[in-house]
Amino acid sequence: MMNYGEALNLMFWDLRTGAPKNGVEQRSEVISQLSADIFNMSTSEEMRRYLEELEQQEGLSEKTRKTVAECRKEYDRNKKIPESEYREYVKLQAKSESMWETAKEQSDFEVFRPYLEQIVAYKKKFIDYWGYEGYRYNTLLDMYEPGMTVEVLDRVFGELRERIVPLVQRIAASGKKLKTEPLLAYFPTEEQKAFSLELLKQLNYNFNAGRLDTTVHPFAITLNPGDVRITTKYDEYDFRTAVFGTIHECGHAVYEQNISADLIGTPLCDGTSMGIHESQSLFFENFIGRNKKFWEKNYSLLKEFADGQFDDVTLDEFYDAINESKPSFIRIEADELTYALHIMVRYELEKALFDGSLEVRDLPSVWNEKMEEYLGIVPPNDAKGVLQDVHWSGGDFGYFPSYALGYMYAAQLKQAMLRDIPHFDALLAEGNVMPIREWLTEKVHRFGKLKQPLEILRDTTGEGLTAAYLADYLEEKYTNIYEL
Amino acid sequence: MMNYGEALNLMFWDLRTGAPKNGVEQRSEVISQLSADIFNMSTSEEMRRYLEELEQQEGLSEKTRKTVAECRKEYDRNKKIPESEYREYVKLQAKSESMWETAKEQSDFEVFRPYLEQIVAYKKKFIDYWGYEGYRYNTLLDMYEPGMTVEVLDRVFGELRERIVPLVQRIAASGKKLKTEPLLAYFPTEEQKAFSLELLKQLNYNFNAGRLDTTVHPFAITLNPGDVRITTKYDEYDFRTAVFGTIHECGHAVYEQNISADLIGTPLCDGTSMGIHESQSLFFENFIGRNKKFWEKNYSLLKEFADGQFDDVTLDEFYDAINESKPSFIRIEADELTYALHIMVRYELEKALFDGSLEVRDLPSVWNEKMEEYLGIVPPNDAKGVLQDVHWSGGDFGYFPSYALGYMYAAQLKQAMLRDIPHFDALLAEGNVMPIREWLTEKVHRFGKLKQPLEILRDTTGEGLTAAYLADYLEEKYTNIYEL
């Protein structure tokens, strides 16, 4: 199954990095066959027998025990839904995704509403097949973030909101404008790429176990731990797209490059959760890539590649500019400070959909209310509001919280790291990321799925999940930048 | 099986165009699993039942009938050898290939001899399992060139040798030296690539169904007819490597891009033989790429990319230089005129090994005798002689003749094409390759394996295989260039 998965991932990578278009139709046949093969193996009689035999055995190694548990989870998830219902759902998904596209183009939620209603209804039914504890929504959370619950999220999102909503308001009130125009000057693709490659080396990305390619929607993808590829895109009038995008994907890739080789060929050879994965990419992007010390090392290098566009910009001005924060409508364009608020809007809505306190038809108005409450702005239309993300159209509920969890995990890990590496900032100023990466490998990467997210957090920091460190960091950072 | 094959071919392409080295070991696991899956399917009980049922049915379509015949051939080839023997043989192959490498490095045939003896012995035994008509060697020929026999090859190789050996001798005697130094001036990779891309467009390579990448040992590879990729390599001190290599691979690729879409998903969706495949690459490389009219169109373009290196070289001088011919030791470096003679050396030796008139231990001395007889030169050592090619170490006997057949097929097809397209040269001078490519598609490409090689030749030219047209062409061309 892992071997077929590697072949599939190579095909996905290839399709997104320059596969010729006339071959795509036939390629999708190949992809659907290999996907079906994996699905059939994961739900086969043979798998059932393996699982039953192994679950009864004593004295299995931790690796085998957890491999069995992963396969059991997958087996049950796939077996508990009646096949005919699942097939109908897959058809609905395709239709729903296409109707979402139309709805977004026309900025008309009503076009999408009937499909989303059916998707939610199916998902509720599936949760009943799968079973749940406490909230129905917990089952969805657990799919992306094993062990995560509404109770925990309500607490930490509440804590975080209380601290950063006022901060966002104070920034708006300050009226301070940062000098961001130089960031938008012409910066040719080739030079951006050369600079990105330099940064990747510095960030401990292993080029013997990966490569950098160009794509439309950037991603990192793992074929095996010796082959974890990064993709990025280049905007010649905004170098931040490629540079911070590459640093972000580098964090994902460095995670998978450093999973213990011992786990290869098992389903444990993967990031432990979406949230922990995002914690690694955000650690790289924000705690390294948007740190002033990092740019003490790299700003002069950037200037060499940039051919004059930053000649009149001091390091301080540059640092402030790349950390500009202002409320905006679109999640994927949001900055480090406001991003989590976009997630909380979605979390509140998803939770309410699944505890029955919100109907699909009321999503647009409640979306707008929450945006005003958290970010102080109201989208001018649904395309820039409730219709902006693809996730719901495919039934991906429970996924969004991982993004915000990633920020919190990263801040907590950073806090713990400072106990072992108090000279963190000095290392960045030297361009020496190795000890930082090694610490993350020691505490996080190498375990793959051997540890659950909250287990990693507990073992590494001695604490449960808290928003406090993220809030502290954001308060300190933005108070300085905006001189509050 | 075809779907798995597409996934495999993508993995091969990827490994040869920049896959990170640390991932290769795990990748080879994936490759060996998918290869085994295909093998197992092709020899399964299920396959046996399909074949037996279908072979008894009346009124099958031509496509189904020939698909069944292909699968039967594959099934019998794999089933007739006892499994234990085949496993031993595969082990021997690996050992033999590695010993060949050592032997070549040390230029010591004795290191390789015992392994080659075993390979030949196995191959003889396999032929007895498979069965043969007339010569044992016919069975090997048929694997690469369905329908080809020793009788046919003896005749056409004899004809060809009689005409071109004297020609080679006359060139040597003429003492004429061509001005080839400008070909070896510095020509940066990027410019060579840009020029190659221009040529590919002109040559009707469809970039919506392919892409050009860089590799060490150039090849074309088919994922499906909508995705046929070319690779090339760049020598900055000899632009011919990339330019003629790319044109050659383009011929292979254009063949597979134009196989009828109707054959997708069947084993007929492939070139019909190695020889016909080579006829297409050689048609492009020689009848188009080394034609003076082609360079009337493209020489000024080449000069634009080449930045001065041809400023003092007239088109006539350039044309002569790219067609230089002189006997050399190494097959893969041989020119258009002498190449077939290298093949004949190998053919005579292979034939004699399998009819029992030659022992492996005598290969080096007979090799050298044949080289002297056909090319008038004797290799200084076995590395530049009998040890130069990898083929025999893996048991690939019967493959070499296809290369020379490709030349003959191409010349015969050209002759037939002139009846329909008498203004062939004028089209090249205009850069209009479309009618030429369309003719080849109509007569050759679209059929895939629906027609056998000699069937294509007969249907298209009205004749059986003959060396006459190739000999005529070479005589006329080289008599002019060397003013004989």
Side-chain angles (χ1 to χ4, degrees), chain A residues 117-145:
Chain A
E117 282 170 349
Q118 289 181 65
I119 290 272
V120 171
Y122 265 107
K123 213 80 200 195
K124 283 181 177 171
K125 210 158 38 157
F126 291 173
I127 295 171
D128 290 337
Y129 290 132
W130 290 325
Y132 60 94
E133 286 177 37
Y135 294 83
R136 273 205 176 83
Y137 188 59
N138 283 344
T139 290
L140 301 180
L141 287 174
D142 186 73
M143 289 173 70
Y144 304 103
E145 208 59 27

Side-chain angles (χ1 to χ4, degrees), chain A residues 43-219:
Chain A
T43 56
S44 62
E45 265 305 290
E46 199 180 354
M47 180 61 85
R48 188 186 59 74
R49 284 197 308 270
Y50 282 137
L51 291 177
E52 284 177 6
E53 277 176 38
L54 286 163
E55 281 162 351
Q56 284 164 18
Q57 279 184 35
E58 305 277 324
L60 293 179
S61 70
E62 186 193 11
K63 190 171 95 177
T64 308
R65 206 161 25 84
K66 292 191 169 169
T67 295
V68 171
E70 278 298 318
C71 293
R72 163 60 70 190
K73 211 167 170 175
E74 181 79 8
Y75 180 87
D76 285 348
R77 187 173 295 157
N78 292 325
K79 275 295 201 187
K80 284 184 174 171
I81 300 174
E83 224 178 293
S84 62
E85 278 183 46
Y86 188 72
R87 269 205 303 274
E88 280 163 34
Y89 176 70
V90 170
K91 265 190 234 166
L92 172 64
Q93 264 181 323
K95 184 72 185 159
S96 165
E97 282 175 19
S98 127
M99 294 315 291
W100 164 76
E101 259 182 56
T102 310
K104 188 179 172 185
E105 268 166 35
Q106 302 173 358
S107 192
D108 182 357
F109 184 75
E110 276 305 301
V111 170
F112 180 42
R113 187 187 48 76
Y115 300 92
L116 186 56
E117 282 170 349
Q118 289 181 65
I119 290 272
V120 171
Y122 265 107
K123 213 80 200 195
K124 283 181 177 171
K125 210 158 38 157
F126 291 173
I127 295 171
D128 290 337
Y129 290 132
W130 290 325
Y132 60 94
E133 286 177 37
Y135 294 83
R136 273 205 176 83
Y137 188 59
N138 283 344
T139 290
L140 301 180
L141 287 174
D142 186 73
M143 289 173 70
Y144 304 103
E145 208 59 27
M148 192 52 59
T149 61
V150 165
E151 292 79 357
V152 174
L153 286 182
D154 278 349
R155 175 175 57 77
V156 293
F157 282 170
E159 283 170 22
L160 188 60
R161 204 158 51 231
E162 267 175 39
R163 302 269 304 268
I164 63 177
V165 168
L167 189 55
V168 171
Q169 289 165 348
R170 283 163 66 206
I171 290 174
S174 78
K176 180 168 175 180
K177 288 271 169 283
L178 305 173
K179 184 176 167 183
T180 53
E181 305 76 32
L183 306 183
L184 307 179
Y186 177 67
F187 196 150
T189 293
E190 277 312 307
E191 275 65 35
Q192 290 193 42
K193 186 172 176 184
F195 179 65
S196 299
L197 289 170
E198 286 300 316
L199 290 187
L200 284 173
K201 272 182 235 164
Q202 198 182 121
L203 291 170
N204 264 246
Y205 178 72
N206 182 355
F207 278 96
N208 287 328
R211 47 183 282 170
L212 175 66
D213 293 271
T214 305
T215 191
V216 180
H217 300 291
F219 61 94

Side-chain angles (χ1 to χ4, degrees), chain A residues 3-4 14 33 37 229, chain B residues 3-4 14 33 37 208 229:
Chain A
N3 284 344
Y4 284 25
D14 183 64
Q33 184 182 336
D37 287 343
R229 304 180 182 193
Chain B
N3 285 344
Y4 283 26
D14 184 63
Q33 184 183 335
D37 286 343
N208 287 328
R229 302 179 183 195

Side-chain angles (χ1 to χ4, degrees), chain B residues 199-435:
Chain B
L199 289 187
L200 284 173
K201 271 181 234 161
Q202 198 182 121
L203 291 169
N204 264 246
Y205 179 71
N206 181 354
F207 278 96
N208 287 328
R211 47 183 283 170
L212 175 66
D213 293 271
T214 305
T215 191
V216 180
H217 300 290
F219 60 94
I221 194 164
T222 300
L223 305 174
N224 65 58
D227 188 350
V228 186
R229 302 179 183 195
I230 297 178
T231 63
T232 197
K233 71 173 172 182
Y234 301 94
D235 179 341
E236 295 200 314
Y237 291 93
D238 190 347
F239 80 96
R240 291 174 299 182
T241 303
V243 168
F244 292 105
T246 302
I247 298 175
H248 182 95
E249 299 307 332
C250 176
H252 283 303
V254 163
Y255 185 177
E256 304 237 354
Q257 285 184 333
N258 291 292
I259 293 177
S260 167
D262 187 42
L263 300 177
I264 291 179
T266 77
L268 308 177
C269 192
D270 194 2
T272 188
S273 73
M274 295 307 306
I276 294 290
H277 233 304
E278 205 64 18
S279 80
Q280 299 307 296
S281 53
L282 290 171
F283 194 102
F284 273 62
E285 182 183 347
N286 295 331
F287 293 109
I288 298 177
R290 294 188 200 273
N291 185 310
K292 192 185 278 185
K293 296 294 170 183
F294 180 75
W295 290 103
E296 277 183 17
K297 166 77 185 169
N298 291 304
Y299 189 43
S300 56
L301 186 67
L302 177 71
K303 283 180 165 177
E304 281 174 33
F305 286 96
D307 194 28
Q309 82 183 76
F310 302 115
D311 283 358
D312 300 327
V313 185
T314 66
L315 173 61
D316 283 346
E317 288 169 333
F318 175 80
Y319 169 73
D320 288 356
I322 61 169
N323 285 293
E324 189 194 30
S325 173
K326 64 178 177 212
S328 62
F329 302 120
I330 305 297
R331 174 183 61 86
I332 58 168
E333 294 167 6
D335 55 75
E336 190 184 5
L337 174 59
T338 59
Y339 191 93
L341 297 170
H342 288 265
I343 295 305
M344 291 179 207
V345 170
R346 288 152 179 80
Y347 168 68
E348 294 296 333
L349 269 52
E350 291 190 346
K351 192 177 62 169
L353 278 176
F354 284 91
D355 72 15
S357 63
L358 177 67
E359 295 297 322
V360 167
R361 65 171 173 273
D362 297 321
L363 276 174
S365 60
V366 183
W367 179 285
N368 291 354
E369 284 164 27
K370 288 280 170 200
M371 282 296 288
E372 181 154 31
E373 185 186 342
Y374 296 170
L375 285 140
I377 56 175
V378 177
N381 56 49
D382 289 343
K384 294 193 170 179
V386 70
L387 287 172
Q388 68 184 267
D389 296 306
V390 69
H391 303 56
W392 292 346
S393 72
D396 288 336
F397 298 96
Y399 186 116
F400 281 122
S402 301
Y403 293 117
L405 285 169
Y407 280 90
M408 284 183 262
Y409 291 148
Q412 265 185 280
L413 290 170
K414 167 81 189 295
Q415 193 64 24
M417 186 186 286
L418 285 178
R419 294 199 294 259
D420 297 326
I421 310 182
H423 53 303
F424 181 89
D425 281 352
L427 288 174
L428 291 190
E430 289 166 22
N432 181 12
V433 177
M434 176 87 79

Side-chain angles (χ1 to χ4, degrees), chain A residues 1-4 6-7 10-14 17-27 29-30 33-34 37 41 206-211 223-229 264-265, chain B residues 1-4 6-7 10-14 17-27 29-30 33-34 37 41 206-211 223-229 264-265:
Chain A
M1 284 161 60
M2 297 300 287
N3 284 344
Y4 284 25
E6 175 162 341
L10 181 62
M11 288 190 273
F12 290 131
W13 171 84
D14 183 64
T17 56
K21 72 182 179 64
N22 292 3
V24 170
E25 194 182 325
Q26 183 58 23
R27 178 70 55 84
E29 294 281 326
V30 183
Q33 184 182 336
L34 282 169
D37 287 343
M41 287 190 269
N206 182 355
F207 278 96
N208 287 328
R211 47 183 282 170
L223 304 174
N224 64 61
D227 189 350
V228 186
R229 304 180 182 193
I264 291 178
Chain B
M1 285 161 59
M2 297 300 287
N3 285 344
Y4 283 26
E6 175 162 342
L10 181 63
M11 289 191 271
F12 290 131
W13 171 82
D14 184 63
T17 56
K21 73 183 179 63
N22 292 3
V24 171
E25 195 183 325
Q26 184 58 24
R27 178 69 58 84
E29 295 281 325
V30 182
Q33 184 183 335
L34 283 170
D37 286 343
M41 286 190 270
N206 181 354
F207 278 96
N208 287 328
R211 47 183 283 170
L223 305 174
N224 65 58
D227 188 350
V228 186
R229 302 179 183 195
I264 291 179

